[in-house]
Amino acid sequence: MKTYHSLRLILGDQLNAHHSWYQEQDEGVLYVIAELHQEATYVRHHIQKVCAFFAAIEGFANALRSAGHQVRHLTLDDTAGFADLNSLIAALCTEHGIEHFDYQQPDEYRLAEQLKALDLGIPIRCCDSEHFLLKQTELASYIKVGKHNRMESFYRKLRKRFDILMVGDQPLGERWNFDGENRNKLKAADLAQIPQPLVFANPVGPYLERIQRHQIDTLGRATDDLLWPVNRQQSLQLLEFFCQHCLPNFGRFQDAMTEHGESRWSLYHSRIAFALNSKMLHPMQVIQAALTRFEEANSGIDLAQVEGFIRQILGWREYVRAVYWVNMPDYAKLNSFEAKRDLPEFFWHGNTKMACMKQAIDQSLDYAYAHHIQRLMVTGNFAMLAGIDPDQVERWYLGIYIDAIEWVEMPNTRGMSQFADGGLIATKPYAASGSYINKMSDYCKGCHYDVKERFSEQACPFNSLYWHFLQRHSERFSNNPRTAMAYRTWDKMDPQVQKALLSRADDCLTNLEQL
């Protein structure tokens, strides 16, 4: 067996071809990238998500070999005999006579703690992943532990630091944020203009067979040809497609929802989060691609569109990572509403009479994808209104979405969606009745329930659950400036109407599985 002086571990979400590790070839350095049982099973993942990661890491291993590096790519067959990642590393170090072990800083607290516990009897070094715009050591200077930190303030600091959409020290267009202009509903005439999404046809038969043979429990619907990008070239193609065909209308319709189908399920969204979170794309590369297209003559992209997109990458993505890291491990235990109900079974199969929930869940099961408003204001809103245990909600979000890695999923779910963090991210719960969903989508028109009804058996469950939620937590939110108006509306209602609404909500909560 060949010996090496160094072993370098590459995790499945560390597919950064431009990392300084790869700038020089060294015959004495062995790179290891592996399909791991612990990563495939720590939560029940969507089958397309597992296939995408397996295909991406194999492609990355092959690319490194082609560039002249020494690589061992291990499949589930190779790693099945090891209890966990640490035991695999220890065995490889012994097998190859390793003198130094290196790994890149994991994005997840769970893996970071696991690798910190390694004791190999040789020097171990943790390196920067060279991906994020803020280094791990800088995060605490931007985000205060256990406190609410405004994303807008964070975003403005990064705009200035990286000189993005700036004129001197002032924002381009004399405004930092165009969010108020980016909340349009899709009208009938708009639907015909939605671009056919760019999809790929990556064969995943061998991965499907291996996953089944190793009895990896997954969810969602498998496809023989995976539509998601699994290498850097495809990721760049998807980014270019977005900049050319979707960015002109991205901000305008970023909150809109419509019945999904082969031509509508992705709307104007970029769908590059998997490529970003696996590091096949770099965030600054994405920002510069959008800026370059925006600055081209006759691009059709106005400032509101490009700012809305850049805010997601430069602002929100870096922000939630910072909130996650400075507040872990305590963040993972927060449950400010003490919510305890079980997640309804229809989250796993989509069999519900609520059209909006069925649309969002079915799309998630079909594509391992739903956009941020479907996640926040449909499935997330329902779970919060119903008082679902945030641990169960979090596991569902972490498993079902192809782009879900704990550092980004947890703050979005436990914080933004469920308000379980007590307001470390959001200043108010993102609670809404059926009227919001009706305003931003066409889901309600064919629903079993009537969005205009409030408390009959035919009434949209969101309507009564919304008021029930507000009343459960009135002591906490009635004086919040962002929710006070809703409480004033409640106070003006006829007492009999109030009673009927709460009774309808109690019935919905008692019969969640039948909704």
Side-chain angles (χ1 to χ4, degrees), residues 21 55 59 89 114 190 200 212 238 263 283 296 381 390 400 411 500 508:
W21 273 2
I89 293 168
Q114 182 178 0
D190 300 318
F200 302 95
Q212 182 177 16
L238 190 57
S263 62
E296 289 177 0
N381 182 26
I400 200 166
C508 289

Side-chain angles (χ1 to χ4, degrees), residues 12-32:
D13 62 348
Q14 295 177 339
L15 311 182
N16 176 10
H18 292 291
H19 195 279
S20 58
W21 273 2
Y22 314 125
Q23 302 314 302
E24 295 182 1
Q25 298 174 13
D26 187 335
E27 292 285 331
V29 175
L30 176 64
Y31 292 97
V32 171

Side-chain angles (χ1 to χ4, degrees), residues 111-163:
L111 280 167
E113 291 299 297
Q114 182 178 0
L115 288 169
K116 279 182 186 177
L118 264 175
D119 183 6
L120 301 172
I122 58 174
I124 298 175
R125 180 177 59 168
C126 177
C127 308
D128 193 288
S129 68
E130 302 176 10
H131 172 78
F132 293 97
L133 302 179
L134 294 181
K135 293 185 180 297
Q136 191 94 354
T137 53
E138 295 182 280
L139 300 181
S141 65
Y142 281 84
I143 297 291
K144 292 183 175 65
V145 180
K147 303 288 185 182
H148 170 71
N149 298 265
R150 290 184 68 236
M151 198 286 285
E152 182 68 21
S153 300
F154 177 93
Y155 170 55
R156 292 183 186 187
K157 289 177 184 177
L158 266 61
R159 283 269 296 271
K160 291 178 180 179
R161 173 171 170 174
F162 295 102
D163 194 24

Side-chain angles (χ1 to χ4, degrees), residues 242-250 252 289-307:
F242 166 73
C243 290
Q244 181 174 350
H245 299 287
C246 302
L247 187 53
N249 282 309
F250 167 76
R252 191 171 293 114
L291 287 173
T292 297
R293 183 64 180 166
F294 165 64
E295 292 165 357
E296 289 177 0
N298 303 315
S299 69
I301 301 167
D302 63 32
L303 180 57
Q305 310 310 302
V306 75
E307 187 279 321

Side-chain angles (χ1 to χ4, degrees), residues 446-496:
C447 186
H448 169 83
Y449 298 105
D450 188 342
V451 71
K452 302 296 184 182
E453 289 283 330
R454 293 188 292 173
F455 41 74
S456 70
E457 287 188 4
Q458 205 63 27
C460 170
F462 279 87
N463 291 340
S464 59
L465 288 174
Y466 170 73
W467 292 112
H468 195 280
F469 171 83
L470 289 182
Q471 291 315 297
R472 293 200 307 271
H473 304 293
S474 61
E475 185 175 337
R476 187 170 180 180
F477 297 115
S478 59
N479 293 319
N480 184 320
R482 298 195 67 193
T483 53
M485 183 178 292
Y487 285 98
R488 288 195 292 271
T489 299
W490 173 264
D491 291 340
K492 294 176 183 177
M493 287 184 193
D494 184 286
Q496 292 304 311

Side-chain angles (χ1 to χ4, degrees), residues 127-227:
C127 308
D128 193 288
S129 68
E130 302 176 10
H131 172 78
F132 293 97
L133 302 179
L134 294 181
K135 293 185 180 297
Q136 191 94 354
T137 53
E138 295 182 280
L139 300 181
S141 65
Y142 281 84
I143 297 291
K144 292 183 175 65
V145 180
K147 303 288 185 182
H148 170 71
N149 298 265
R150 290 184 68 236
M151 198 286 285
E152 182 68 21
S153 300
F154 177 93
Y155 170 55
R156 292 183 186 187
K157 289 177 184 177
L158 266 61
R159 283 269 296 271
K160 291 178 180 179
R161 173 171 170 174
F162 295 102
D163 194 24
I164 303 296
L165 294 176
M166 298 294 295
V167 179
D169 63 352
Q170 296 300 311
L172 183 65
E174 301 181 342
R175 286 172 58 187
W176 291 100
N177 190 314
F178 291 81
D179 193 42
E181 299 175 18
N182 291 340
R183 297 171 183 169
N184 292 12
K185 178 178 180 175
L186 287 160
K187 298 178 181 178
D190 300 318
L191 295 177
Q193 307 301 317
I194 297 172
Q196 187 81 16
L198 173 65
V199 298
F200 302 95
N202 294 300
V204 292
Y207 310 118
L208 290 170
E209 184 277 329
R210 198 152 61 239
I211 291 164
Q212 182 177 16
R213 181 158 43 82
H214 285 270
Q215 300 181 327
I216 303 297
D217 186 23
T218 61
L219 63 105
R221 299 178 181 116
T223 58
D224 290 329
D225 295 313
L226 187 72
L227 64 90

